[in-house]
């Protein structure tokens, strides 16, 4: 009897198992490496394709058509891509998308081996790449979050920001160097990067909605359900409006900055260095995400980063040339990662996983919809006025738009969702533990 009674007595509660440091999470690191490779290949292609079209046709309009076809295809298929991410095995979608991009990229050096490539062929490649972005984009973000504990998600997203910033920084000069070795070389490099991404997607398994949850939860709602989620929240409407204006201004800024720097005698290498400021700033800012999120609420932080962009268009008008432009873009770029992680905290973590793909796709569609318009309108203005006047107009219009947003109490009084700060705190504790281990 005594033995039985002793056996029935509850023992001390088990201590929770410690989190595995993110750097030891092999599934996350393999997925991250594959996605970093895919992103680098995309950036190499974005630079090399216009160079190839210019070399073949000498037409700036034809060179611009490649990027236009790619972006329009992504926008047209983006909503469907989000619905597919919620209803189909996500790993298969990622493998199919990366494989399609690999074949499209490989077709270019194959065609060049037999003679000059056809412009129609290149535009078809642009459409295929745009489609792969529409379908793989939501899945990539969902795949990363599915293999990381909630306590480490902010840290994982900050590392993912480093992927995007690093690719943006390394891709263009690498594409230029490879193109100098031969017209087919950058496309071979981009195809190899896509092959690595396919290999990582095949090697790493991650869950999809069809593997858990009730059937009704898996497929309920239309492809437009993500837009309805965003429209239902005043905070999300205001925040996305500010981010849309920032993206539009950023797209409009690029061409007049390049034209003005060139008018001042800046070389192509100098222009590239100046424009790299944002990517370098974003790499730095990825390490500051948790700290910035503790300093202020989401609305105040969003407005602070947005207002820091207002003087950026004026930087090329100041003394210092390349150094001034680099510094201005660096300061703005340092705040960009915290805005991307903010989107995750305010939007993507607040919806069920079965709906998350459509919400991500709706968000990305809204944020990129104004970018082609910004580039097009800037081109029209440059035909009628000076680059300096266009830059002043961009800065003024951005300030006017932000005045209306700053007056909104919805943004200024916004607070982080419950548990949102846990990611940052968990990250600091984990870093302390890793330091002690070292």
């Amino acid at each position: 009897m005594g033995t039985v009674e002793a056996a029935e007595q509850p023992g001390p509660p088990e201590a929770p198992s410690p989190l595995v440091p993110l750097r030891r999470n092999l599934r996350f690191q393999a997925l991250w490496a594959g996605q970093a490779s895919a992103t680098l290949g995309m950036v190499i292609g974005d630079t090399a394709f216009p160079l190839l079209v210019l070399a073949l046709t000498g037409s700036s309009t034809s060179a611009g058509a490649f990027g236009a076809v790619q972006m329009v295809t992504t926008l047209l298929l983006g909503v469907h891509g989000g619905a597919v991410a919620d209803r189909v095995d996500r790993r298969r979608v990622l493998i199919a998308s990366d494989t399609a991009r690999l074949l499209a990229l490989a077709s270019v050096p194959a065609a060049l081996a037999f003679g000059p490539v056809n412009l129609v062929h290149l535009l078809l490649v642009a459409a295929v790449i745009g489609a792969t972005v529409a379908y793989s984009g939501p899945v990539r973000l969902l795949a990363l979050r599915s293999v990381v504990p909630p306590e480490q998600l902010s840290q994982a997203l900050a590392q993912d920001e480093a992927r995007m910033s690093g690719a943006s920084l390394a891709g263009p000069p690498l594409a230029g160097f490879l193109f100098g070795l031969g017209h087919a070389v950058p496309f071979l490099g981009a195809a190899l990067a896509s092959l690595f991404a396919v290999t990582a997607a095949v090697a790493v398994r991650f869950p999809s909605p069809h593997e858990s949850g009730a059937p009704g939860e898996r497929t309920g709602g239309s492809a437009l359900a993500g837009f309805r989620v965003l429209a239902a929240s005043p905070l999300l409407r205001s925040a996305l409006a500010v981010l849309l204006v920032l993206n539009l201004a950023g797209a409009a800024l690029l061409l007049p900055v390049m034209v003005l720097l060139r008018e001042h005698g800046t070389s192509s290498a100098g222009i590239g260095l100046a424009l790299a400021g944002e990517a370098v700033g974003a790499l730095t800012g990825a390490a500051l995400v948790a700290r910035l999120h503790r300093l202020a609420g989401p609305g105040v932080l969003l407005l602070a980063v947005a207002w820091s962009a207002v003087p950026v268009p004026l930087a090329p008008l100041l003394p210092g040339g390349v150094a001034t432009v680099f510094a201005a873009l660096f300061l703005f770029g340092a705040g960009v990662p915290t805005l991307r992680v903010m989107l995750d905290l305010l939007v993507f973590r607040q919806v069920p996983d079965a709906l998350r793909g459509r919400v991500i796709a709706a968000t990305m569609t809204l944020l990129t919809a104004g970018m082609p318009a910004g580039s097009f309108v800037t081109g029209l203005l440059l035909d009628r006025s000076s680059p300096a006047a266009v830059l002043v107009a961009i800065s003024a219009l951005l300030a006017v738009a932000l005045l209306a947003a700053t007056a909104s109490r919805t943004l200024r009084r916004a607070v982080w969702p419950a548990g949102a700060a846990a990611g940052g705190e968990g990250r600091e504790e984990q870093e302390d533990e890793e330091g002690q281990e070292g």
Side-chain angles (χ1 to χ4, degrees):
M1 293 289 292
T3 303
V4 172
E5 290 176 355
E8 291 177 350
Q9 291 177 358
E14 295 183 2
S17 57
L19 288 175
V20 176
L22 192 61
R23 58 185 171 83
R24 296 181 186 173
N25 185 332
L26 298 184
R27 287 204 300 167
F28 168 77
Q29 296 299 345
L31 272 178
W32 182 88
Q35 296 186 16
S37 181
T39 304
L40 180 60
M42 285 282 296
V43 176
I44 289 174
D46 289 344
T47 304
F49 275 111
L51 291 175
L52 178 61
V53 175
L54 280 173
L56 293 174
T57 67
S59 169
S60 298
T61 302
S62 297
F66 183 92
V69 169
Q70 180 177 323
M71 184 170 290
V72 168
T73 305
T74 300
L75 288 173
L76 290 177
L77 297 178
V79 174
H80 186 252
V84 168
D86 284 338
R87 295 169 179 167
V88 181
D89 187 308
R90 290 170 179 168
R91 181 165 164 265
R92 291 182 180 179
V93 173
L94 189 58
I95 293 172
S97 298
D98 287 345
T99 301
R101 186 173 59 254
L102 166 62
L103 294 176
L105 289 167
S107 73
V108 178
L112 286 170
F114 294 97
V117 68
N118 189 286
L119 179 60
V120 174
H121 175 193
L122 295 179
L123 294 180
L124 288 175
V125 171
V128 172
I129 293 176
T132 64
V133 172
Y135 288 101
S136 66
V139 174
R140 290 195 188 282
L141 185 55
L142 292 167
L144 285 179
R145 71 166 53 248
S146 69
V147 297
V148 173
E151 298 87 348
Q152 295 176 331
L153 189 52
S154 291
Q155 181 186 1
L157 292 173
Q159 180 174 327
D160 198 45
E161 285 301 314
R163 163 183 69 91
M164 299 177 65
S165 302
S168 298
L169 183 61
L174 180 58
F177 171 74
L178 294 176
F179 195 80
L181 299 178
H183 288 179
V185 178
F187 306 104
L188 287 172
L192 286 174
S194 292
L195 178 60
F196 186 85
V198 173
T199 304
V202 170
V204 181
R205 295 187 178 276
F206 53 90
S208 292
H210 77 282
E211 297 174 2
S212 62
E217 293 176 353
R218 294 197 301 268
T219 60
S222 70
L224 299 178
F227 291 97
R228 288 195 286 271
V229 170
L230 300 178
S233 169
L235 173 59
L236 296 184
R237 292 199 303 268
S238 301
L240 290 174
V242 173
L243 292 171
L244 173 61
V245 170
L246 281 178
N247 275 359
L248 193 153
L253 176 66
L254 184 62
L255 187 56
V257 168
M258 294 173 67
V259 172
L260 188 61
L261 287 175
R262 187 172 293 278
E263 287 182 355
H264 291 168
T266 306
S267 65
S268 297
I271 294 174
L273 175 61
L275 298 180
E278 183 175 356
V280 177
L283 276 172
T284 304
L288 304 175
V289 170
R291 292 177 176 84
L292 290 175
H293 282 193
R294 286 195 301 272
L295 286 177
V300 172
L301 193 56
L302 171 61
L303 290 171
V305 174
W307 276 106
S308 73
V310 172
V312 171
L314 306 178
L317 309 180
L318 302 175
V322 169
T324 303
V325 175
F326 181 94
L329 290 173
F330 176 91
L331 292 175
F332 171 70
V336 170
T338 196
L339 297 187
R340 289 176 176 158
V341 177
M342 177 189 299
L343 270 180
D344 181 85
L345 292 170
L346 294 181
V347 185
F348 306 147
R349 295 193 204 185
Q350 309 307 314
V351 297
D353 184 64
L355 186 61
R356 198 168 281 148
R358 281 166 283 179
V359 172
I360 290 174
T363 303
M364 297 301 102
T365 299
L366 290 173
L367 293 184
T368 58
M371 296 174 68
S375 300
F376 179 73
V377 172
T378 299
L380 292 178
L381 291 175
L382 285 172
D383 288 337
R384 294 165 174 79
S385 58
S386 68
V390 174
L391 290 171
V392 171
I394 293 172
S395 180
L397 291 174
L398 180 58
V400 170
L402 292 179
L403 281 175
T406 305
S408 168
R409 292 184 177 181
T410 301
L411 273 180
R412 288 187 285 108
R413 296 182 178 181
V415 296
W416 295 109
E425 294 170 1
R427 179 182 178 183
E428 282 196 342
E429 292 172 1
Q430 180 182 341
E431 288 173 346
D432 291 342
E433 292 173 2
E434 292 180 15
Q436 292 172 5
E437 290 175 4

